[in-house]
Amino acid sequence: MARETWRRNLYVLWTIEFAAFTGLSLILPFIPLYVRQLGITEVADVTRWSGLLLSGPFMVSFIATPLWGTLGDRYGQKLMVVRALIGSALCYVGMALAYTVGTLFVWRLALGGVSGFLAAGMALVSVTVPDNQRGYALGLLQGVVPAAGLIGPLLGGVLADVIGYRAIFLVVGVLCACGGVVAATTLREPRQATPLVTGTPSVRDYLRVAWEGPTLRRALLAIIASQLLITTLQPVFVLFVEQLGVQSRVLSTTTGILYAATGITALVAGPWWGRRGDRRGFHGALTIALIGSAITLILQGLVTGIAQLFVLRLIYGAFVAGVLPTLFGFVTAGSPAERRGGVMGLSSSATMLGNLLGPLSGGYVAAHVGLRAVFFVSASLLLVVSWYTRSLRT
C-alpha cells in the first residue's frame, strides 16, 4: 500500500475516532450521578446499577464484534467503521429519550450490538501499514481512548453542571453521526490490501486460529484480564472522589479533571510504547507498563487528598497507556494477514469482555468491601497478569 495512503487512513481514523470517543467519554465518569437522577439513591444500589450500565454494551459486543470482524474481512473494514458510527449515533439518541434505568440499560445493550468502530479501524490499519510501523500505528490509534479521556471527562463535567446529563447524550449522537459521514467520504481501502480469503470463514474458524496459536491465545487472555482490572474503577471513581471531601457542586468537574490527568500522559506515552515495541520487542514494554500501573493503583488507594490523587493519575496514565498497544502488537504478530480483521475482532471482544467484567467486579467489591479496596484488588491482580505474560513472544 502506498505510504501516503496508509498514513492518510491512519490520521483520518485517529481524528474520527478521537471525536467519537471524546463524545463517549463525556458521560461515562458520571453514570453513578445520572443513576441517582433516575431515582436510585442507596449507595450500594448506585454502584451495582452503574456497573451494569457501564458493562452493558460489552455484554453484547463480546458476541457481536467477531461477527462484524468476519464481515469486515469479506466486505471491507471501512464499511464496518461507517456502520458502527451511525449505529452508535442512533443508540445515543435513544439514551437521551430514556427516563428509567431499565430503558437506559436496554439502549446500552443495543449500543454494544452495533458499535465497534475502534476494532474496525484497528483492523483496517493493521492490514495496510508496513510491518515495521505496525506497533507505532496501533499505539497511535489505540491512543484515541486516553486522548479522548483527556478532553471528554473534563468537558463532560462542565457540560453536566451546565446543561445536564440528558443533553450530553444528544451531543454524543451528533458526534458519532458526523464521524460516520467523514469516514464514508474520506477513508480509502484498496481492494487487495490483504490476500484474498478463501471460502467463507466463520467466527469458529477465527477462534480455532486463536486457540491453536500459543502466543495469540495467551495474548487474548491477557487482554481480558488486564482490561478487566483497568476498568474496575469506572463505577466507583466519582464516589471515591466524593469521599475525599469534594463538594457536590464541583464534583463532576473535579472528577473530569482527574480523568483528564490520566489522559494527558496516556496521550503522550501511547505512541512511545508502540515505537519501543517495534524497536526492542513488546515483552519488556508490557512488563514495565503492568508493574507501573499496579504500583500507582496501590498509591491511589492510599491518598487522603485530591492533589495527591491528581499527581498519581498523571503517573498512572503514562503506564496504563502501554498495556493494550503492546498486547495488540503480540496479537497482530501472531495472526495471519488474511485473517487479521477477524482476529482483531476477537481482540476487541477480549477487550469488551474485560470491559464487561471490570465495572461489575468493581461495583461488587466496592459494595461489599469498600471503595479503597477496589484499588488494591486491581493492583494485586495486575501483578499476576505481569507474571503470566512472561511467556509471550513475538
Side-chain angles (χ1 to χ4, degrees), residues 108 131 141 158 161 165 180-181 192 236 251 276 283 315 362 379:
R108 295 284 292 171
D131 289 344
L141 194 57
V158 175
D161 292 335
Y165 301 111
V181 173
Q192 302 193 357
V236 302
L251 179 59
R276 187 188 188 282
H283 185 268
I315 300 171

Side-chain angles (χ1 to χ4, degrees), residues 246-263:
V246 177
Q247 297 180 2
S248 58
R249 62 185 177 84
V250 293
L251 179 59
S252 294
T253 302
T254 302
T255 304
I257 291 172
L258 291 169
Y259 268 93
T262 300

